[in-house]
Amino acid sequence: MFEPHDTRWLLSHFPAANGDADVDLLQVGSGVALMTNMHARREIKQIIFNAQPNYAHGDLHRLKLSDIASHLDVDERTVLPLLPPRTDLAGWFLDEPDQVITRSGYLALVRALHERLRDGVVSTEDFIDKHQITKSTLRRLANESNKILERQGDQNHLGALIEHWRPSYELIFTQGHRESLEDYLKALLQGAQDPVQIDPQRVEGSPPLHFLFHLCTQFIVNKNSSLEGTFRVLPQCVEFVPKVFQRRQQHDLLERLRLGSIDFLSYDSLQQADDAINDPRDSIDEHCKKEAIHVGNGALSRTYFQRLLQSISGTIGESGYAVVNAITPTFSREGVLDLTLLLKDKLDFDMESLTCIDNVLISRELRLHIEAEVEETAKQNARDNWPKPGRKKGPVLVSDFSEHSKSGVSPEILRKLLGSKAEAAVEQAYNGVIHRLQDAAISEFSQFWSERVMGKALLYRRGIESLEDQKLRDDLSAALIEYMLDTILPDNIKRAEAKGLFEGARLEQELPRLAKACETVKTQTTSADKRLSEIYDALGALAQRLNPDLTSENVPQRRKPGLLHELTQSMQKDENGPRLFLTLLVILLATRKDGMIYATGKFAPRLLKQLRNIVDREQLASLTKWKDAAKSGSMSKQDHIDMRQMAETAILDI
């Protein structure tokens, strides 16, 4: 008697089974028994074809290879090679690498598929999802289902081949259903004179819209040459437009254009009416002859063009301009421009009398009037904004004018009319006024500055330079600096501001510069001569920037007679003896030396010394007497009269 381990040892020395021969032996899982391949195949076949009464592992329609191996107590890897050959017998399927659809499961799927096919077109995705099979299984199921049903003697089968649509196997249907649909569509469309809309919901089986369109275009048009027309998919249906309807529609459109019952016919509309038209221009010319005019993306009826010509002509005669608009929503932008040029050529005006700008026709009179108006508006704008005009560009000026013009022309049309050339002209006109106002302001300021500041300043500098006494020159320079910074400059700047002479950007910039230069001189501790030179440098720089003539040698020469006259006039009203004496000394020095002297009373004795050698003895005696009288305060009324007389006599020859 062998023990189990002896049996396993003995069986382990048998040749290994390879599944190729029926005599090959399989070792069962316990290791104490053997099974031939033939027996295993028979057992597996009986399980698949539901002829094994002892099999009790899960769903009888779908079997796992592992369940079959467990039932036979063999290694799972040995089951796959022992499955029945697929070429020997249909009616089972290996749906996945490890799942077998049994005979009963296969027949159940076939019946379910045919049940669905009775209703029409079947979506493969829906069927696969519902029955949990692969697409390859469904392919084989469709190809073999009729044969299997016939073999089983099932009288409910359709007796027709199952077909599919597209390589992706998106839809399946029976040949009989397809032929039935084709017959229905042929009967519906044959002889149609007007467009036909095919609603899938009213067709047997309610086929999908895109499938219905496919049948129409592929199965009907290609097989039935007598059916001519165009199919298109609409949101809820497939529409068939017969060729005869397209030709009738094309003829109607062309005839209406020829007779003038429509104003415009676009090329696209004509080709949509009949897609067989290759060149819509030729079709229009052939049908309408000279009763249509090609413009842009279509053609105008000659009747409409004549009416439009009269209307545009009348509008220009009344308003001076006319806007050519799109005739229909389909009229292209290029068509509007072409029509505008065509109208300009045909209108009863001289070629130079009309200007074509974009889609606007403008008479020469209105154009010149508007150009003159906008230029004058720009000039008035400049005058109104002076003295703070800012810097305005042409487009801004034109836009301002367009919004407020009294010409009666819309701002949009005005902007088209004026364009870039007018913008440049308007900007030039505006800036020209600004420049003239600026020049006038500078000229007025220069005259004031020349008389009130530069003339005096240059005379005083020459007067100091004409003296030989260096100490006196230094002292007079210091006095002049104080006079310039505290009196002449601030007083005259205030007068200029009060008169509005610092108007305009250029003049406004000069005030801070001059003020800064004066403040710098005030805080310096350098020599009087150097400080005075810096004041004159600042005045000279201002003059060079505004009017170089202010520094001319003629300025002090022109100013000197007037200033001497002012001094003699001031003496007529002055009753202050010492001041009269000082003024007389300044006048006598000015008439005998270059320039003039600015001096205060303390300089009177020193100025008298400058006159000793340049006045006669009689005048010198009188001057010495008046000096002593001014010092002692004993000057009489007669002395005042005599000093005034000497001053007037001195300036007679100036």
Side-chain angles (χ1 to χ4, degrees):
M1 193 74 177
F2 288 107
E3 294 292 332
H5 69 274
D6 296 325
T7 304
R8 284 192 291 269
W9 179 85
L10 179 63
L11 294 178
S12 67
H13 286 77
F14 275 75
N18 55 27
D20 293 334
D22 291 339
V23 297
D24 282 344
L25 299 176
L26 297 174
Q27 190 176 40
V28 298
S30 62
V32 296
L34 293 174
M35 182 188 300
T36 66
N37 281 353
M38 182 183 297
H39 178 77
R41 283 196 182 96
R42 186 169 57 249
E43 288 289 316
I44 292 172
K45 182 177 180 179
Q46 288 178 349
I47 292 171
I48 291 175
F49 284 88
N50 306 115
Q52 176 56 266
N54 297 324
Y55 184 82
H57 291 275
D59 186 0
L60 293 180
H61 291 339
R62 298 170 187 267
L63 302 178
K64 295 282 187 181
L65 295 183
S66 59
D67 292 339
I68 297 175
S70 177
H71 176 74
L72 298 176
D73 196 19
V74 297
D75 190 334
E76 181 181 341
R77 292 172 294 178
T78 66
V79 174
L80 185 62
L82 297 174
L83 292 174
R86 297 178 186 177
T87 57
D88 288 353
L89 182 66
W92 72 276
F93 215 64
L94 184 65
D95 185 47
E96 294 179 358
D98 63 342
Q99 178 172 270
V100 173
I101 296 178
T102 66
R103 174 79 167 184
S104 61
Y106 197 87
L107 291 175
L109 287 173
V110 168
R111 291 188 181 92
L113 177 60
H114 278 271
E115 241 356 272
R116 289 287 304 277
L117 288 171
R118 291 179 191 278
D119 296 330
V121 180
V122 176
S123 165
T124 58
E125 290 298 328
D126 291 346
F127 193 85
I128 287 170
D129 290 343
K130 181 177 180 179
H131 296 280
Q132 295 297 300
I133 59 175
T134 63
K135 184 174 285 190
S136 62
T137 297
L138 181 57
R139 285 176 183 268
R140 185 172 180 184
L141 185 69
N143 292 334
E144 298 182 2
S145 62
N146 287 335
K147 293 180 181 180
I148 293 175
L149 289 175
E150 288 173 356
R151 186 174 298 175
Q152 292 298 316
D154 191 331
Q155 298 302 313
N156 293 323
H157 70 85
L158 300 179
L161 295 175
I162 297 176
E163 301 178 349
H164 66 87
W165 182 43
R166 295 182 177 175
S168 62
Y169 226 77
E170 183 178 336
L171 301 171
I172 56 175
F173 44 88
T174 66
Q175 178 178 318
H177 182 69
R178 174 179 57 77
E179 291 174 347
S180 175
L181 285 177
E182 289 179 354
D183 291 341
Y184 167 78
L185 293 171
K186 289 176 184 177
L188 179 66
L189 302 177
Q190 195 71 42
Q193 298 293 310
D194 297 306
V196 178
Q197 292 187 341
I198 310 167
D199 185 353
Q201 299 301 317
R202 306 180 72 175
V203 177
E204 179 187 0
S206 300
L209 187 63
H210 54 291
F211 175 66
L212 186 60
F213 177 73
H214 168 77
L215 283 182
C216 290
T217 56
Q218 298 300 317
F219 291 105
I220 295 179
V221 176
N222 291 345
K223 290 186 177 182
N224 190 353
S225 59
S226 64
L227 187 64
E228 294 183 318
T230 302
F231 290 95
R232 59 176 179 170
V233 179
L234 301 179
Q236 302 297 330
C237 66
V238 174
E239 184 180 57
F240 172 65
V241 181
K243 180 65 67 177
V244 63
F245 174 80
Q246 292 180 327
R247 291 181 181 134
R248 188 171 73 245
Q249 191 177 38
Q250 171 206 342
H251 180 274
D252 289 347
L253 285 173
L254 291 173
E255 186 66 8
R256 291 171 65 195
L257 180 66
R258 186 183 71 83
L259 296 175
S261 57
I262 59 174
D263 299 333
F264 174 75
L265 177 62
S266 70
Y267 300 143
D268 288 343
S269 298
L270 188 58
Q271 287 184 307
Q272 287 172 6
D274 186 357
D275 55 12
I277 294 178
N278 294 322
D279 190 340
R281 294 177 65 95
D282 289 346
S283 298
I284 292 172
D285 290 340
E286 182 178 351
H287 187 97
C288 300
K289 306 304 179 185
K290 296 182 179 181
E291 297 304 315
I293 301 171
H294 294 283
V295 176
N297 61 330
L300 296 173
S301 72
R302 184 167 295 278
T303 302
Y304 171 76
F305 182 74
Q306 292 300 327
R307 291 201 313 269
L308 182 62
L309 204 60
Q310 293 176 1
S311 174
I312 293 293
S313 178
T315 302
I316 294 175
E318 293 176 5
S319 305
Y321 76 100
V323 181
V324 181
N325 294 312
I327 300 168
T328 68
T330 60
F331 203 62
S332 67
R333 171 69 176 166
E334 293 74 14
V336 172
L337 300 180
D338 289 347
L339 179 57
T340 306
L341 291 174
L342 185 60
L343 288 167
K344 179 179 182 295
D345 291 340
K346 299 296 183 181
L347 283 169
D348 189 20
F349 288 91
D350 294 336
M351 291 299 292
E352 297 181 357
S353 297
L354 280 181
T355 298
C356 179
I357 300 174
D358 201 3
N359 64 321
V360 183
L361 292 169
I362 303 172
S363 69
R364 183 173 182 272
E365 292 77 13
L366 179 61
R367 176 172 56 81
L368 293 176
H369 171 75
I370 291 175
E371 288 175 355
E373 184 183 357
V374 72
E375 184 174 342
E376 181 54 38
T377 301
K379 293 178 180 179
Q380 187 59 47
N381 191 322
R383 289 190 287 268
D384 292 344
N385 289 324
W386 179 261
K388 296 184 180 296
R391 183 170 178 80
K392 292 193 176 183
K393 293 294 184 179
V396 175
L397 294 167
V398 168
S399 179
D400 290 346
F401 169 79
S402 301
E403 297 297 333
H404 303 95
S405 172
K406 298 178 181 179
S407 63
V409 182
S410 70
E412 180 182 359
I413 302 302
L414 283 172
R415 281 190 285 269
K416 286 183 178 181
L417 165 63
L418 295 170
S420 58
K421 290 184 178 179
E423 289 171 356
V426 168
E427 185 174 348
Q428 184 178 1
Y430 177 88
N431 292 331
V433 172
I434 297 300
H435 290 155
R436 287 194 293 275
L437 291 171
Q438 182 76 76
D439 291 344
I442 291 175
S443 176
E444 188 176 0
F445 172 80
S446 298
Q447 183 177 358
F448 170 84
W449 201 249
S450 174
E451 294 179 357
R452 306 294 302 182
V453 178
M454 290 303 294
K456 285 185 177 181
L458 294 175
L459 282 172
Y460 291 150
R461 184 172 64 179
R462 288 187 179 183
I464 292 175
E465 291 173 350
S466 68
L467 300 176
E468 297 178 358
D469 186 341
Q470 186 61 46
K471 180 66 170 62
L472 179 58
R473 289 175 58 173
D474 292 342
D475 293 342
L476 288 173
S477 294
L480 181 57
I481 290 172
E482 185 177 350
Y483 179 53
M484 292 281 288
L485 296 179
D486 295 343
T487 303
I488 290 183
L489 291 176
D491 287 356
N492 285 292
I493 287 175
K494 289 179 181 178
R495 288 192 183 96
E497 288 178 323
K499 289 176 173 289
L501 299 181
F502 279 106
E503 292 181 339
R506 290 178 62 190
L507 288 170
E508 287 180 349
Q509 294 172 359
E510 299 303 331
L511 275 176
R513 291 176 178 172
L514 186 59
K516 183 178 180 180
C518 292
E519 287 299 321
T520 301
V521 172
K522 283 183 179 181
T523 58
Q524 287 179 345
T525 58
T526 54
S527 66
D529 185 59
K530 184 175 181 181
R531 293 169 63 205
L532 187 61
S533 294
E534 292 193 15
I535 293 176
Y536 280 99
D537 289 344
L539 292 174
L542 181 148
Q544 286 296 323
R545 288 190 293 269
L546 296 179
N547 186 352
D549 289 343
L550 290 174
T551 58
S552 169
E553 293 294 326
N554 295 328
V555 171
Q557 290 298 112
R558 290 195 303 267
R559 185 67 181 105
K560 188 172 184 178
L563 193 55
L564 288 174
H565 180 72
E566 291 174 9
L567 288 176
T568 56
Q569 290 298 311
S570 67
M571 291 178 69
Q572 300 301 319
K573 300 177 182 180
D574 195 354
E575 298 297 334
N576 185 297
R579 189 165 53 234
L580 283 171
F581 178 64
L582 176 63
T583 304
L584 175 60
L585 294 177
V586 169
I587 291 173
L588 291 174
L589 281 170
T591 58
R592 290 163 171 79
K593 287 183 174 290
D594 194 13
M596 289 183 65
I597 297 295
Y598 168 76
T600 58
K602 66 180 181 179
F603 289 100
R606 299 169 69 182
L607 294 179
L608 179 57
K609 290 182 180 180
Q610 297 295 316
L611 290 169
R612 288 187 182 277
N613 298 323
I614 55 176
V615 296
D616 58 34
R617 292 181 179 179
E618 185 177 345
Q619 287 177 325
L620 182 58
S622 298
L623 291 172
T624 302
K625 181 185 72 169
W626 293 331
K627 180 196 75 168
D628 295 338
K631 185 176 181 181
S632 62
S634 59
M635 194 172 289
S636 65
K637 292 291 184 181
Q638 187 60 45
D639 291 334
H640 291 180
I641 295 172
D642 292 341
M643 285 190 290
R644 293 180 185 126
Q645 182 62 45
M646 184 179 291
E648 290 178 355
T649 303
I651 68 171
L652 289 177
D653 298 330
I654 298 300

